Amino acid sequence: MRPIFVLLITNENKTVMRFNTKKKDVSNTVNYEGAKAYTLTPELELYSAVVTASLHDQFYEGSADRLVRIRELIKKNDPQFVARLAVYTREKMYLRSIPLVLAVELAKVHTGNGLVSNMVNRIVQRADEITELLGFYALSNERKETKQLHRLSKQIQKGLSLAFNKFDEYQFAKYNRAATVTLKDALFIVHPKPKDDDQQILFDKIAQDELQVPYTWETTLTATGQVQYSDASDRQKAFRYAWEQLVASDMLGYMALIRNLRNILQAEVDNRIIDKVCAQLADENAVLKSKQLPFRFLSAYREMSKVKHKRTKDVLEALETAIKISVQHLRGFNKETRVVIACDVSGSMQQPVSARSVVRYYDIGLLLGMLLKHKCENVVTGMFGDKWKVVDFPKKNVLANVDAFYQREGEVGYSTNGYLVLADLIKSGVIADKVMMFTDCQMWDSTTKNQSDKNTLAAQWKRYRYMVPHAKLYLFDMAGYGKMPVDVKEDGVYLIAGWSDKVFEILAAMEKGEDAVEHIKAMAI
């Protein structure tokens, strides 16, 4: 069994890529387990590192190490590609932190022509991202003096000045928090030009700390909690009324609703309110508009599974419906398409996606795999560690299947013998059109001390392609370490990085012969 130990790392959220060009300049290396691996092009490595970045410690790589690697990769890439990648991760992948990192780091090595300022304006889509960007700017540039943000990059300043014009008083007030860099600090540092008299009045309010406190679900609950009640029963009634009013008046956004499902049920709200909650969770427009990452639904599902309430089952079913909606438009699979889905449950996949999350890379791999299982008509699912094991679950469930898989992960051990998946297909004579592996790509052969070329994914893939020439291998990279077990320039091999349901959009694009890097390059700045 591979020992589970934790090193430093950095990470966030995801997508896809195809490099099916002529084979040349292939650089062999070894992965973190000492097994043979292949390096990526600078564009592809930056892409995979960025879309899997949550800037916290991972199994093999620390957050400081990841940031250093991203900085070096930025220098190796065309600034235009870096800028477009930042916009892509914000607008298509719905990531928030990593686009700000790319903007700050690019500003260090590229000045002039408005590229950085335009990028900053595009990626700042919430009022608090103005202060978050400035906070990272001070940190990245190691500003420790009292005036940490003096001599601010002109391109960063210009981009933030444009971004200031996007928001109204409610949006500014909602995110006007006490922090290292406040909204008032940002106003004085950036000196944005108001677009009209009304905005000048708004900027004056920020400068004078006179923004009107917004009416939000947070302020409602805070006010409810500050009242003195005669006993616990009166307090319970007050919070029940507060939750009922928030749900009935549509004051809760989709994310807030998901985060507060336990609180709403435990407040013993009226059944009609729970009906409305379930309807909102399963509403197609609400799901698609919310832009939630799939693991948010899994977190809510697991949290709700612990709640003892007569309506818990209804809420769980609504969450199942919601996550299925998120991939309803997935294309590229018909009734005849034969798919093998293999999920890596090794020790290195057991790390959480963020410091405070209960969701791990392992869970995301299983979740994306189960989403594909839901869409595919002819599918074999299984998990691999020390060995490969086929595990079948009902197609109608997604979230429930993930948890059922989770309960069985110890059955195959904790190494990463991914080559066994293909070896078994070859031995059994199974014909698959698509073999999809959800993994951190740190594959090796735990059965021997001397790593050979025989028991590798690359060797087994060549054998399988000889048997099934039209087969395609998709590596869904959950971690972005930059070292692949197969050369992604090989015919029929595709790399897809990240943990968002948006990886399936790139998967669909690949079916039409499109290239993810070229797709990113085509984005307007």
Side-chain angles (χ1 to χ4, degrees), residues 76-87:
K76 295 178 181 179
N77 277 278
D78 180 3
Q80 291 282 341
F81 176 73
V82 177
R84 283 166 169 76
L85 179 59
V87 173

Side-chain angles (χ1 to χ4, degrees), residues 23 26 28-29 31 35-38 416-423 426 437 441 443-445 452-466 473 475 484-493:
K23 187 176 179 181
V26 177
N28 292 338
T29 183
N31 62 22
K36 182 178 179 179
Y38 299 85
T416 318
N417 296 330
Y419 73 92
L420 292 176
V421 178
L422 295 173
I426 294 169
M437 307 185 77
C441 294
M443 298 185 190
W444 62 307
D445 178 15
S452 68
D453 289 340
K454 180 181 178 181
N455 291 344
T456 65
L457 193 69
Q460 295 297 331
W461 176 243
K462 288 181 179 179
R463 291 183 61 200
Y464 191 73
R465 279 277 286 187
Y466 182 80
L473 174 64
L475 294 176
M484 297 295 112
V486 183
D487 179 13
V488 298
K489 301 182 187 71
E490 292 281 355
D491 288 340
V493 180

Side-chain angles (χ1 to χ4, degrees), residues 477-515:
D477 183 5
M478 301 287 101
Y481 294 127
K483 298 177 181 180
M484 297 295 112
V486 183
D487 179 13
V488 298
K489 301 182 187 71
E490 292 281 355
D491 288 340
V493 180
Y494 302 82
L495 174 64
I496 301 174
W499 352 304
S500 167
D501 59 315
K502 292 298 178 180
V503 299
F504 299 138
E505 290 188 3
I506 303 296
L507 180 60
M510 285 178 173
E511 295 300 314
K512 298 184 293 185
E514 296 181 5
D515 184 313

Side-chain angles (χ1 to χ4, degrees), residues 392-444:
D392 194 25
F393 291 109
K395 281 177 59 65
K396 67 177 182 178
N397 294 324
V398 174
L399 300 172
N401 282 353
V402 174
D403 272 359
F405 244 119
Y406 174 76
Q407 298 299 323
R408 302 183 59 173
E409 46 89 12
E411 295 178 12
V412 296
Y414 299 97
S415 295
T416 318
N417 296 330
Y419 73 92
L420 292 176
V421 178
L422 295 173
D424 183 62
L425 297 181
I426 294 169
K427 181 179 179 181
S428 305
V430 174
I431 305 299
D433 303 302
K434 303 174 190 291
V435 179
M436 300 183 168
M437 307 185 77
F438 295 85
T439 174
D440 63 5
C441 294
Q442 299 303 297
M443 298 185 190
W444 62 307

Side-chain angles (χ1 to χ4, degrees), residues 17 43 78 80-85 87-88 91-92 122 514-525:
M17 185 144 288
E43 287 174 333
D78 180 3
Q80 291 282 341
F81 176 73
V82 177
R84 283 166 169 76
L85 179 59
V87 173
Y88 177 79
E91 295 185 352
K92 300 297 183 181
R122 286 280 290 277
E514 296 181 5
D515 184 313
V517 165
E518 294 304 318
H519 178 68
I520 293 170
K521 288 181 178 180
M523 296 199 67
I525 290 290

Side-chain angles (χ1 to χ4, degrees), residues 56-73:
H56 78 285
D57 290 348
Q58 280 180 322
F59 189 89
Y60 291 111
E61 186 181 35
S63 57
D65 295 333
R66 174 63 64 96
L67 184 55
V68 168
R69 184 156 67 92
I70 288 175
R71 285 171 175 162
E72 292 304 311
L73 286 168

